[in-house]
Amino acid sequence: MQKKSPYSYTYGSPGLSSGVDHLSSLKIALDFKLHSNSAGAMTMPSYKLTYFNMRGRAELPRYIFAYAGIAFEDRRVEWRDWPSIKKTFPLGKLPVLEVNGLPLTQSLAIARFLAKEAGLVGNSRLAEAQADALVDTLNDFTLLIPWREDNPQIKTQKIDMLFQSHAPKLLDHLQCHLGDRAWLVGDSETWADLYCHVCFTTFSVLRPGFADHHPALCGLTDRVEAIPNIAKWIQSRPTTEF
């Protein structure tokens, strides 16, 4: 991981192993479509992901980059600097992914684009729809977290209610969908599995042990974390609470 500035660094290199076997790695490399420049030379697209110095809404795209072993610039903005640069970003929001300089907004749109490029959307259109639905289900829960509540007592009450009333339904649904399979959709990992790990990491900060009564889901997150490139990313990423 090559440091570029206090706020930006490039992750990934041709030497990284992939989360899948060698032949699949070659397919992923080919599926990350080569682009021709004006001189006709073939080059890989360049990626710059800009977000705050936290996991948050950009961690799923980072997981996908890491999984596929694709180099990207991970630009992290400190909160104190955000007001001065906010107007320079589309809609004044983050994350933003620049693909060869072209900006793409909305975290799930970014992640879905990368998942398709990396072959992480499932092996059929139905599987793709199932993965999308699971990602949306997890995202719906994250949107209920009272991040913007300023009153600590009220915030704690809302989080307690969320994990008491909504979390069990979410966990039951995910475990029912998983069944006795290793992965949420089909017989191989998809971006839904990666997002499950991303979300559960955050949920565990808010409510440690929240999924202890759902061992199949705990096993799923363990399998995601054991994917070689995901493990490397988790070990090397900046340490933040959320």
Side-chain angles (χ1 to χ4, degrees), residues 1-29:
M1 187 166 53
Q2 178 186 2
K3 298 286 182 181
K4 296 188 68 176
S5 78
Y7 310 108
S8 177
Y9 59 86
T10 299
Y11 178 87
S13 72
L16 276 176
S17 63
S18 177
V20 290
D21 60 44
H22 180 64
L23 290 178
S24 297
S25 299
L26 293 176
K27 181 179 184 299
I28 287 174

Side-chain angles (χ1 to χ4, degrees), residues 70-134:
I70 299 299
F72 71 105
E73 182 180 346
D74 187 18
R75 183 190 181 196
R76 294 177 179 247
V77 177
E78 297 295 340
W79 287 105
R80 64 178 178 271
D81 300 318
W82 177 236
S84 64
I85 62 175
K86 182 176 181 179
K87 292 183 179 180
T88 66
F89 289 91
L91 303 174
K93 295 182 179 181
L94 297 178
V96 171
L97 175 67
E98 294 176 52
V99 184
N100 290 337
L102 180 67
L104 179 62
T105 62
Q106 299 294 340
S107 59
L108 290 188
I110 291 169
R112 185 176 290 109
F113 163 74
L114 294 174
K116 289 179 178 180
E117 295 291 274
L120 277 171
V121 294
N123 56 14
S124 69
R125 294 188 66 180
L126 178 57
E128 182 176 340
Q130 288 178 312
D132 284 352
L134 290 165

Side-chain angles (χ1 to χ4, degrees), residues 36-57:
S36 298
N37 60 25
S38 58
M42 303 301 286
T43 59
M44 294 294 290
S46 65
Y47 299 97
K48 180 166 75 171
L49 181 64
T50 303
Y51 191 60
F52 303 105
N53 187 24
M54 59 189 299
R55 297 188 306 276
R57 307 295 294 180

Side-chain angles (χ1 to χ4, degrees), residues 52-209:
F52 303 105
N53 187 24
M54 59 189 299
R55 297 188 306 276
R57 307 295 294 180
E59 196 63 8
L60 178 56
R62 293 174 184 138
Y63 269 43
I64 297 170
F65 276 129
Y67 173 92
I70 299 299
F72 71 105
E73 182 180 346
D74 187 18
R75 183 190 181 196
R76 294 177 179 247
V77 177
E78 297 295 340
W79 287 105
R80 64 178 178 271
D81 300 318
W82 177 236
S84 64
I85 62 175
K86 182 176 181 179
K87 292 183 179 180
T88 66
F89 289 91
L91 303 174
K93 295 182 179 181
L94 297 178
V96 171
L97 175 67
E98 294 176 52
V99 184
N100 290 337
L102 180 67
L104 179 62
T105 62
Q106 299 294 340
S107 59
L108 290 188
I110 291 169
R112 185 176 290 109
F113 163 74
L114 294 174
K116 289 179 178 180
E117 295 291 274
L120 277 171
V121 294
N123 56 14
S124 69
R125 294 188 66 180
L126 178 57
E128 182 176 340
Q130 288 178 312
D132 284 352
L134 290 165
V135 167
D136 286 341
T137 298
L138 284 161
N139 193 62
D140 285 347
F141 185 88
T142 68
L143 295 177
L144 297 175
I145 299 172
W147 299 113
R148 297 182 181 276
E149 177 56 61
D150 294 326
N151 186 306
Q153 184 176 0
I154 295 176
K155 186 172 186 176
T156 297
Q157 292 174 349
K158 288 182 176 179
I159 290 174
D160 287 344
M161 183 176 298
L162 179 62
F163 279 91
Q164 289 169 6
S165 61
H166 292 277
K169 298 176 184 177
L170 171 67
L171 294 170
D172 287 346
H173 173 73
L174 293 174
Q175 184 150 308
C176 180
H177 189 92
L178 178 63
D180 59 0
R181 297 193 309 273
W183 307 103
L184 284 169
V185 179
D187 57 2
S188 62
E189 58 267 44
T190 67
W191 69 308
D193 300 297
L194 271 56
Y195 194 40
C196 190
H197 188 279
V198 169
C199 290
F200 276 37
T201 300
T202 295
F203 300 163
S204 294
V205 176
L206 297 171
R207 186 56 50 90

